[in-house]
Structure formats: C-alpha cells, structure tokens
Amino acid sequence: MSEHEVPVPTEDAGSVVRSVARHRGARALQLDDNIAEEVPVAFVYNDAPFAVMMATPADLEDFAQGFALSEGIVERIDDAQVISVEHLLEGVEVRVGIPADREQILQSRRRSMSGRSGCGVCGSELLEAALRSPAPVGEGIAVTTTALQRALRELRSQQPLNARTGATHAAGWALADGRIVLVREDVGRHNALDKLIGAMHRAGFDPQSGFLVVTSRASYEMAMKAASAGIAFMAAISAPTALALSLAQRTGLTLLGFARDDGQAVYTHPRRLIGQETCT
C-alpha cells in the first residue's frame, strides 16, 4: 500500500441482521435489525498464545499491529507482522510474527484472562504490566479550536457501523486542518483505538502530524495507548480519569475531555490548543 493510501473497511463489516420485535405503545412490529458483532479474537505471537479480546471482527490486521505496539510487545509497529487471520467456529485467531528478542516481553505483558470489549488492561498479571509509562510523545502539532470542531463533526458522520447498530465506539485521526482521514470502530473503545493505530501505520501517517479524537471517556488505558503510539494530542467527548491525567502530564500528551461543538476542557499541556482563552 502506498503512503497515505487509506485502507477502507468493508461496508457491512462488523454487523449482522437479526429479527427483533419492536414495541411502540400497544403496537408490536417484527423487523430486521442491524446488530454489532462481538466475538473472541485471539492474538498468537510467534506461536505463543497471548490474549483473547472480545471485539468486532473487522479490520483485524490493523487491530493486531496496533495492539502489539500499544501493549508494548514491540517498539516499532513494523516489528509486528500479521501472518494469518483464521475465522474459526469459536472466534478468530490472528497469528503475528515478532522479533525473537521481543519474545521475553510476552511474559511480562501476558494476559491471564480474556479482555472484555470494555476492557483495556484487564487481565494483566503484574502491576508493572498494567501501569506502564510510555516514552515522551514528542512535540506534535498545534491544533486550532476550529480544526478540533471540524474533526468532531466529521467523526460523527464517519461511523457507518454505529449508524447501523448504535453499539460501537470510534477513534478518528485528523490532520492539522481538522479533516478526518481515518476512522476505526469497535464495540470496545480500546479496540477501536488499537485498530486506528494499526491503520495509521498501514496508511503511512506520522503520529506527530495530526491529532486523535475518540467517542469515549479518556481513561488511563486510552491515554496510555495514544502515548505509546507517539500521539501528542487526544480529544475525548467524555470525561478523563485522574490516572489518565497523571500519565498525560508525564508523557507530554495534550489531553482534552468533554470535547463538544461549543467547547472543551483542556487538562494537560494546553500549549497545543490554539484559539482558546483562559479567564482567571
């Protein structure tokens, strides 16, 4: 794939049609409804099982590579090469090749249980595996409030899976002018971000050249995944957590919460947001 050629997901990927009885007052209608898929997705690195995540079975190569980077299994996303994606009766198995010198990382990062769709660091066996500290994110770019508002508007219009099902989160990558160039969706907010990180790599986008918008709260694991990918600016439509703010402050990540058309809250490193005055 050439640089900045955006991988496009299959139009109906991630949902199935099921019959549902819709009740409105005394009336009941039998209708077909689009339902978001949620299946076990197993990651196997160098033939060693690592984790099973409950996820939407779309954009799985993006998911595998982004997950490997954001979980600290590899330091460069090029070091995670997807070998095969096999759809089984029980779920999906994704086999990934990593350098031999990274295999020891699997033990410290290994999950002791399945990761649910709402789960980020669930199942990490060691405290240090759950509470990692990524390297500083770099300078990143300045983002105007106008660009941020454009990105938020465009993200809402670029979620076909959520439009069909009403059940998924999204993570979007925006350029400096606010134009959304990549979106990935999943029933799990962390999965959506991992998929986006993988898609950014495949499309050739530099994480220092744009900014991240997500349709969820800014939890610690969301901030950690963004910082691990070298993203310097993240805007969430909901609230942050105190641990996310602590990580963002340490790594240099600009973290915004409650991002809306009419404003946002800037919690850390406000220098990157241009056009917002602070009154005291």
Side-chain angles (χ1 to χ4, degrees):
M1 179 171 292
S2 62
E3 185 177 11
H4 293 178
E5 181 182 346
V6 177
V8 179
T10 304
E11 183 177 353
D12 59 353
S15 66
V16 295
V17 176
R18 296 288 185 266
S19 180
V20 59
R22 287 286 181 88
H23 293 262
R24 293 290 185 270
R27 297 181 59 195
L29 297 175
Q30 199 71 27
L31 303 171
D32 287 338
D33 197 9
N34 285 282
I35 308 296
E37 288 188 276
E38 184 178 24
V39 304
V41 177
F43 292 125
V44 179
Y45 294 97
N46 290 7
D47 296 323
F50 176 74
V52 178
M53 305 298 294
M54 298 303 297
T56 301
D59 306 304
L60 293 179
E61 292 193 16
D62 293 338
F63 189 17
Q65 288 192 303
F67 181 88
L69 181 66
S70 72
E71 287 291 318
I73 298 168
V74 296
E75 294 181 332
R76 300 185 314 114
I77 205 165
D78 286 330
D79 287 338
Q81 296 299 317
V82 177
I83 298 169
S84 65
V85 177
E86 187 173 0
H87 293 260
L88 308 171
L89 183 62
E90 302 86 355
V92 184
E93 183 179 82
V94 183
R95 291 186 170 270
V96 183
I98 61 174
D101 62 358
R102 301 299 296 178
E103 289 185 7
Q104 61 183 348
I105 301 297
L106 295 178
Q107 279 300 106
S108 61
R109 298 280 182 262
R110 186 169 65 86
R111 305 298 184 92
S112 61
M113 68 180 190
S114 298
R116 298 179 294 278
S117 57
C119 183
V121 296
C122 303
S124 295
E125 290 185 312
L126 304 175
L127 286 175
E128 56 267 32
L131 300 178
R132 293 184 290 116
S133 184
V137 296
E139 184 56 33
I141 63 167
V143 178
T144 66
T145 54
T146 300
L148 176 61
Q149 290 163 6
R150 176 183 178 181
L152 293 168
R153 289 194 303 270
E154 291 196 4
L155 182 63
R156 287 195 295 270
S157 66
Q158 294 187 39
Q159 299 176 55
L161 182 55
N162 190 60
R164 294 196 304 273
T165 67
T168 56
H169 282 291
W173 183 245
L175 301 183
D177 62 0
R179 179 166 56 96
I180 293 284
V181 290
L182 274 177
V183 177
R184 288 294 181 264
E185 297 180 87
D186 197 278
V187 290
R189 62 188 184 276
H190 316 97
N191 302 341
L193 180 50
D194 280 333
K195 288 178 177 182
L196 180 71
I197 291 169
M200 287 169 57
H201 165 71
R202 293 177 60 196
F205 287 109
D206 181 351
Q208 293 283 298
S209 67
F211 62 99
L212 171 67
V213 285
V214 298
T215 64
S216 65
R217 68 180 181 272
S219 61
Y220 165 80
E221 51 268 40
M222 293 292 283
M224 180 183 67
K225 287 178 181 293
S228 295
I231 294 169
F233 190 110
M234 173 181 170
I237 67 169
S238 192
T241 67
L243 195 57
L245 298 185
S246 177
L247 181 139
Q249 190 64 48
R250 292 196 313 272
T251 60
L253 172 68
T254 295
L255 183 56
L256 278 60
F258 300 106
R260 302 285 194 276
D261 290 339
D262 60 350
Q264 56 281 320
V266 187
Y267 291 92
T268 60
H269 302 285
R271 70 183 186 278
R272 295 191 185 95
L273 183 64
I274 309 300
Q276 176 169 284
E277 296 183 358
T278 301
C279 299
T280 58

